[in-house]
Amino acid sequence: MGVTLGKKQLNKGRISLYLNYSHNGKRRKEYLGIILEPPVTPEARAENKNKILIAKQIRAKKELEFLSVEYALNKTAETFEDILPEAPSNGPDFFRIMNEYLSTYYKKDKKMVKSTILHLRTFNKP
């Protein structure tokens, strides 16, 4: 899933910028309302560069939004202490955290992650 910046040629040498992405299997174009003027003067070139930078920032923000939805980043805890609650030994319980992580892990290498946790448990025995 990627968000790309597209250009559509308008009349009189002007260019309209848009975002091109797919969401839920459907390709979409989102016009940004940013129009690049013909680069005939140094001022127009400088203004176009600024407009392109703004469009790239919008693209990056949109991509972050998609990634946060895809990986459920909006559902995470707000603080570091909420993410790593402390065990009775006043330290975070690493294996409990890893088991919670494994329960939400959906990629096809889940067996490798599970095996890694098992090996870490074996190595960490007191």
Side-chain angles (χ1 to χ4, degrees), residues 44-86:
R45 285 188 202 98
E47 188 176 330
N48 286 346
K49 284 182 182 181
N50 289 335
K51 288 179 179 180
I52 290 172
L53 285 174
I54 291 169
K56 286 180 179 181
Q57 290 173 346
I58 294 170
R59 181 202 60 81
K61 183 179 177 188
K62 182 65 90 170
E63 192 163 4
L64 285 175
E65 288 174 13
F66 284 130
L67 290 173
S68 69
V69 169
E70 183 178 345
Y71 293 106
L73 296 178
N74 295 334
K75 298 177 185 175
T76 59
E78 295 295 324
T79 63
F80 186 73
E81 289 78 22
D82 292 338
I83 296 171
L84 296 174
E86 292 187 3

Side-chain angles (χ1 to χ4, degrees), residues 82-123:
D82 292 338
I83 296 171
L84 296 174
E86 292 187 3
S89 68
N90 290 335
D93 185 5
F94 175 77
F95 294 109
R96 184 176 59 76
I97 294 168
M98 289 306 295
N99 284 333
E100 289 176 12
Y101 172 75
L102 187 61
S103 67
T104 61
Y105 195 76
Y106 65 92
K107 296 184 181 178
K108 61 183 178 179
D109 64 339
K110 187 172 183 171
K111 287 181 181 179
M112 298 218 17
V113 174
K114 190 174 184 178
S115 176
T116 302
I117 294 170
L118 179 66
H119 284 290
L120 286 172
R121 275 189 198 275
T122 305
F123 180 76

Side-chain angles (χ1 to χ4, degrees), residues 3-54:
V3 180
T4 59
L5 190 61
K7 299 176 182 181
K8 181 180 179 183
Q9 189 71 35
L10 301 176
N11 57 357
K12 298 181 183 176
R14 299 179 334 155
I15 297 173
S16 176
L17 300 177
Y18 63 90
L19 297 178
N20 188 14
Y21 59 91
S22 64
H23 183 66
N24 294 332
K26 295 181 182 177
R27 294 203 68 77
R28 298 179 190 219
K29 285 184 181 180
E30 181 179 327
Y31 286 92
L32 300 176
I34 299 175
I35 307 294
L36 302 179
E37 299 299 327
V40 292
T41 64
E43 293 83 17
R45 285 188 202 98
E47 188 176 330
N48 286 346
K49 284 182 182 181
N50 289 335
K51 288 179 179 180
I52 290 172
L53 285 174
I54 291 169

